[in-house]
């Protein structure tokens, strides 16, 4: 991958009427070391394999970002002019009181790799946080220590890369929003500025189905059937183990292998359908299982049994057929009037 073009502007908060600052031209990259640092800054935070695409409720051509980037891919010489249009569009969406102003970068990349194929890409990035650094300088025979503010190239605040593939289906877009991850006001970047929706590929279906399993364990199996935390963790672990062992997901086979009980099977199928409809997803009863998605979701599932006595029991995902739940036993102590867990082990680590 190479960085072919770069422009740097500045965008403020519209609510505070901070305006925008325009560079007069694209950045002239003469220093190879700077290009290397910029590539590290722009790209190192893109670790998730989830992809999105531009959308619009009625016509994709009404999505402003889709049209701006399409113009660039068709005529790369319009890169600078379109960067101004995109900057102004971002400013219009920056009206939440907590949105910070910052540097706006737009880059044109050659030879990106997406789904094992080469494609050009357009990167849009925004800096919102500056860090304080110690600055040591030498004067004559002594050192002076001061401070300065700068950008940590290992921490991208906000960014997206639009890959020039599947143009008729809204392209393929990877995003980063580290500053406001999980915050409602962060929706302005993904939902208002970019206007993205999920690409419902094998990674998406794998991750979504495992999320359904955890949601079912907590809200149906636990709440309605009064399954304790241990049994909920067992259910989720068995679901993950199924995805680990199979290349293809088939709903009928999954429920027979994991859910098992006829009444629970009926509840699970209904819960999965309702979950997907409520999320606006296309229901999938069969798909190819994505190994990277399984690895990612296993890191997110904590398998934690939290107790009201401020004690937590963390259960690692099983590595054998029998699993590790056989070493945890749940019971009730009549004398204390409390539930308990008994844990078996050979040695402390």
């Amino acid at each position: 991958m190479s960085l072919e073009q770069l422009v740097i502007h500045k965008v403020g908060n519209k609510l505070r009427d901070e305006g925008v600052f325009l560079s007069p031209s694209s950045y002239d990259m003469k220093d190879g070391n700077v290009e290397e640092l910029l590539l590290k800054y722009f790209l190192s935070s893109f670790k998730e394999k989830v992809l999105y695409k531009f959308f619009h409720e009625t016509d994709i051509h009404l999505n402003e970002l889709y049209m701006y980037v399409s113009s660039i891919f068709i005529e790369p010489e319009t890169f600078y002019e379109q960067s101004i249009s995109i900057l102004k569009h971002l400013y219009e969406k920056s009206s939440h009181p907590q949105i910070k102003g910052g540097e706006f970068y737009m880059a044109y990349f050659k030879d990106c790799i997406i789904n094992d194929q080469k494609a050009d890409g357009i990167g849009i990035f925004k800096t919102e946080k500056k860090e304080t650094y110690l600055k040591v300088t030498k004067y004559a025979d002594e050192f002076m220590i001061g401070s300065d503010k700068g950008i940590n190239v290992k921490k991208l605040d906000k960014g997206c890369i639009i890959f020039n593939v599947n143009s008729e289906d809204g392209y393929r877009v990877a995003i980063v929003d580290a500053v406001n991850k999980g915050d409602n006001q962060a929706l302005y970047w993904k939902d208002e500025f970019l206007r993205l929706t999920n690409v419902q590929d094998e990674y998406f279906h794998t991750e979504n189905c495992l999320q359904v399993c955890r949601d079912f364990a907590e809200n149906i199996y636990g709440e309605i059937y009064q399954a304790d935390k241990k049994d909920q963790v067992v259910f989720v672990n068995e679901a993950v183990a199924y995805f680990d062992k199979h290349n293809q997901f088939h709903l009928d086979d999954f429920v027979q292998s994991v859910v098992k009980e006829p009444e629970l099977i009926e509840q699970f199928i209904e819960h999965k359908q309702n979950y997907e409809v409520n999320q606006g997803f296309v229901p999938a009863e069969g798909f190819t299982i994505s190994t990277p998605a399984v690895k990612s979701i296993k890191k997110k599932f904590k398998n934690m049994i939290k107790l009201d006595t401020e004690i937590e029991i963390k259960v690692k995902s099983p590595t054998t057929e029998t699993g590790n739940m056989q070493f945890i036993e749940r019971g009730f102590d009549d004398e204390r009037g409390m539930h308990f867990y008994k844990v078996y082990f050979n040695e402390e680590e």
Side-chain angles (χ1 to χ4, degrees), residues 11 167 180 207 223 232 281 303 309 317:
V11 59
S167 59
N180 300 306
E207 186 177 56
E223 294 291 332
Q232 292 177 39
F281 302 153
N303 288 347
T309 50
S317 298

Side-chain angles (χ1 to χ4, degrees), residues 155-171:
K155 296 180 181 179
L156 177 65
D157 295 334
K158 281 181 169 61
C160 75
I161 301 176
I162 303 106
F163 300 97
N164 190 14
V165 294
N166 302 98
S167 59
E168 72 289 347
D169 190 39
Y171 296 106

